[in-house]
């Protein structure tokens, strides 16, 4: 579950950075979309962290997760092109779904429900990003 939390935190930081830095002809639409995206990642991250703290016996180091998430989200630090940000976010979303799938067999029923909701959200986001990138 910690790997899911880390992925969500990195996506949150990346989407927030994209929200602030991307520019171009579609800035207004993408600025709004990215604003909603980083808030969604933040909410999912919080839910996963609380689930880990409440149900798992493993020790969680929030500072370490934040440190690693900052490093992960620093990819593509030179570009302000929204398309480049969307490609990186799309890959992160795909990786998130893989992490969720791997965690499902060991999860409680409630945690499976939480993870399925996050995966459902991710698949919708992937669809929207693919449409934006016109790769479908």
């Amino acid at each position: 579950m910690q790997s899911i939390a880390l992925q969500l935190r990195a996506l949150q930081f990346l989407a927030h950075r994209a929200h602030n830095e991307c520019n171009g002809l579609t800035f207004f639409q993408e600025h709004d979309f990215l604003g909603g995206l980083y808030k969604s990642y933040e909410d999912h991250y919080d839910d996963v962290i609380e689930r880990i703290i409440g149900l798992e016996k493993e020790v969680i180091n929030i500072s370490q997760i934040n440190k690693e998430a900052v490093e992960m989200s620093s990819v593509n630090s030179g570009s302000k092109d929204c398309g480049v940000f969307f490609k990186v976010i799309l890959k992160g979303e795909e990786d998130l779904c893989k992490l969720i799938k791997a965690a499902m067999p060991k999860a409680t029923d409630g945690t499976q429900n939480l993870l399925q909701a996050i995966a459902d959200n991710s698949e919708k986001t992937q669809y929207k990003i693919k449409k934006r990138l016109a790769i479908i």
Side-chain angles (χ1 to χ4, degrees):
M1 288 278 288
Q2 288 194 40
S3 60
I4 295 169
L6 173 59
Q7 186 71 12
L8 288 164
R9 190 57 135 186
L11 282 166
Q12 177 201 357
F13 291 157
L14 180 62
H16 203 152
R17 196 175 109 229
H19 170 81
N20 289 322
E21 292 184 357
C22 80
N23 56 37
L25 295 175
T26 57
F27 167 78
F28 288 107
Q29 301 92 320
E30 293 175 340
H31 185 76
D32 285 344
F33 176 74
L34 291 163
L37 206 55
Y38 77 75
K39 178 62 175 140
S40 175
Y41 293 137
E42 180 181 20
D43 291 344
H44 291 318
Y45 166 81
D46 191 55
D47 289 341
V48 169
I49 289 295
E50 289 174 356
R51 194 65 56 113
I52 292 169
I53 292 169
L55 295 179
E56 294 190 13
K57 295 179 180 156
E58 65 183 291
V59 176
I60 187 163
N61 185 334
I62 303 293
S63 295
Q64 184 64 31
I65 287 175
N66 285 327
K67 179 182 174 193
E68 290 179 31
V70 166
E71 291 170 9
M72 289 171 62
S73 68
S74 295
V75 296
N76 175 47
S77 59
S79 179
K80 296 187 187 279
D81 182 313
C82 289
V84 174
F85 277 113
F86 281 129
K87 287 177 185 175
V88 176
I89 292 170
L90 177 61
K91 173 74 167 91
E93 288 280 358
E94 293 167 345
D95 291 345
L96 176 63
C97 284
K98 289 176 189 171
L99 292 169
I100 289 170
K101 191 166 192 76
M104 290 297 283
K106 297 179 258 174
T108 65
D109 290 346
T111 300
Q112 285 182 6
N113 188 51
L114 169 67
L115 294 176
Q116 288 170 344
I118 294 170
D120 181 55
N121 229 12
S122 178
E123 290 174 0
K124 292 173 193 174
T125 299
Q126 289 177 54
Y127 168 75
K128 291 174 184 176
I129 292 173
K130 286 176 182 176
K131 287 301 236 186
R132 161 55 176 88
L133 295 171
I135 59 173
I136 289 183

